[in-house]
Amino acid sequence: MTNLEKYINAFAEGLDIKPEQTAGLEYQAIPEWDSVGHMNLIASIEDTFDIMMDTDDIIDLSSFEKGKEILKKYDIEI
Amino acid sequence: MNYSELLEIPPFSLDKREKERILTEKLKQLTQKHIESCAAYRNMMRAVGYDGDKIKNYYDLPFIPVSLFKEMELCSVDKSEVFKTMTSSGTTGQAVSRIFLDRTTAGNQQKTLVKIVTDFTGAARMPMLIIDNPSVIKNRAMFSARGAGILGFSIFGADKTYALDDDMNIDLEAVEAFLEKHKGKKILLFGFTFMIWQHFYKKLLQLDRKIDLSNGILIHGGGWKKLVSEAVSQEEFKQRLTDVCGLWDIHDYYGMVEQTGCVYMQCECGRLHASIFSDVITRRAKDFSVCENGEAGIIEVVSMLPESYPGHCLLTEDEGVILGEDDCPCGRKGKYFKVNGRLKNAEIRGCSDTYAAKFQ
C-alpha cells in the first residue's frame, strides 16, 4: 500500500467516513469531523504511521491537504 | 498585538506592568467589538454609561455576571458562524449557560490551553488515563463542560484509556493493561475531583491489589464542594492518593466553560496561577471595590479569548483570595490565588460539584 492509500484509509477510519469523501476535506466541513472526530483522526493517523505528533501539529491539522504537509515533518511523504 | 503573537510569549513570563498594559489594550478592544456586534451587550454598556476613552486600566471595565449566559443568548457573531455551542454543567432542572463559539475563538481556546498546561506537564504527549466514562463525550452536537474538559485535555494524551465504565465502576482490567503497556513511562491522568475521589480513590482503597501510579501526573478540576462537605481538604486529597497508588504529582485547576482555554493551574507550591492570557480580580461584595491581596472577595475573571461572545469580563459566583503577584517560589509570574468555594446561596456548578449533587 502506498503512503497515500494508507493516509486515505487512516482518514476514513478515524472519521468513520468513506475513502471517497476524504479528498479536499476540511475540519468542521462534515459532522463527522468535529472536535471528537478530530482526536479519533489523530489517533488513527498516529497508529497508521507509528508516530507521535506534537500538540501544535494536532491543532494545525485542519484539512486533508494540510495533514500531508504536517506529515513531512515526521519524514512521511504522501 | 494580535492573538497569534501573544501565543508566542511564554505564558507566565510577564510581570504586572507589562501584563496590565497588554490586558488593558486587548480587553478594551474586545469591549468595543462586543458593543458593536451584540445588541444585548450594547444595551447593557449603554445602561452603565460605558465610555471607552475613560478606561485607563482593565480593572475599570464593566463586568457582567456569569449567570447571564443562562438567561440570555449572548452572541457576537452571526449565527451561521457559530460552529460549536458549549454548555455549562448543571444539576438536573438547573438552567445551563450556552456559549457560542466561532472557529477563531474555539481555535484560540485550544491553543491557549496547550500553552498553559505544557508549562506544567512538558511538551511531550503522554499515555493518558481518563478517570471518567467514555459516554461523556458521545453527544457531539451539544457539548457539556465535562465532555469539553476531557476533550480539551485529550490533546496532551496518547493511547487514551477510560478508567471507568458507563456505570462509573472502575474498569480494573483496562487500567492494569494500560499500566502494563506503558510501564516505566510518565503517564497523564485527568479527571474531575469528585469522580476521582468517589469512583477511583475509594475503589482502589478496597482492592487487595495495589496499582502503581508514581509515574503519573494528575490534572483535576471541577470543584471541591462535595469533598469539603466530607471534610476532605486539598492536602488530604493529595496525601490519600499518594498513599493508595503512589500518585504525588497532582495539579488542581480552576476554570469555567464561559472562559474555556484560560485555565488556572495549581503549581508545585499549591497555588493557582493566572497566565498572561487572562487574570483574576477579587472584589468586595458591598460595593465591588477591589480587594487587597490576602482579603477574600468575589472572583472576577477577565480573558482575552472570547471574540464570539461577550464573556471577556465576568463576575463569577466564587469566592477567592489573591495571595500575591509575580513572586511565587515556583518562578511563574502573574497573580497566584486560591479559591475558597462558592458564594453562599449561589447555585451549584462545576463538573465535579453538579455530579456530586446526586450523592446527597
Side-chain angles (χ1 to χ4, degrees), chain B residues 16 19-20 23 27 57-59 254-256 259 262-265 271-283 290-293 297-304 312-316 318-325 334-339:
Chain B
K16 182 182 162 73
K19 186 173 164 179
E20 238 172 55
L23 267 176
L27 291 173
N57 190 295
Y58 66 94
Y59 278 60
Y254 175 65
M256 61 206 72
Q259 286 188 356
C262 285
V263 293
Y264 301 88
M265 292 275 293
R271 292 146 167 184
L272 298 164
H273 278 263
S275 70
I276 58 169
F277 310 105
S278 72
D279 204 20
V280 287
I281 299 168
T282 44
R283 294 188 181 275
V290 177
C291 296
E292 303 288 334
N293 288 358
I298 306 171
I299 297 176
E300 177 191 343
V301 288
V302 300
S303 162
M304 292 191 264
H312 57 304
C313 295
L314 298 175
L315 194 70
T316 71
D318 298 320
E319 186 190 272
V321 184
I322 310 287
L323 300 168
E325 188 165 11
K335 282 183 195 156
Y336 51 91
F337 64 105
K338 66 170 181 170
V339 177

Side-chain angles (χ1 to χ4, degrees), chain B residues 115-149:
Chain B
K115 293 292 169 196
I116 294 172
V117 176
T118 51
D119 199 84
F120 294 82
T121 61
R125 287 164 59 214
M126 295 166 269
M128 182 177 187
L129 191 63
I130 299 164
I131 318 290
D132 212 318
N133 74 72
S135 63
V136 175
I137 60 166
K138 272 187 188 142
N139 185 0
R140 293 160 73 144
M142 204 62 172
F143 240 59
S144 73
R146 196 166 143 198

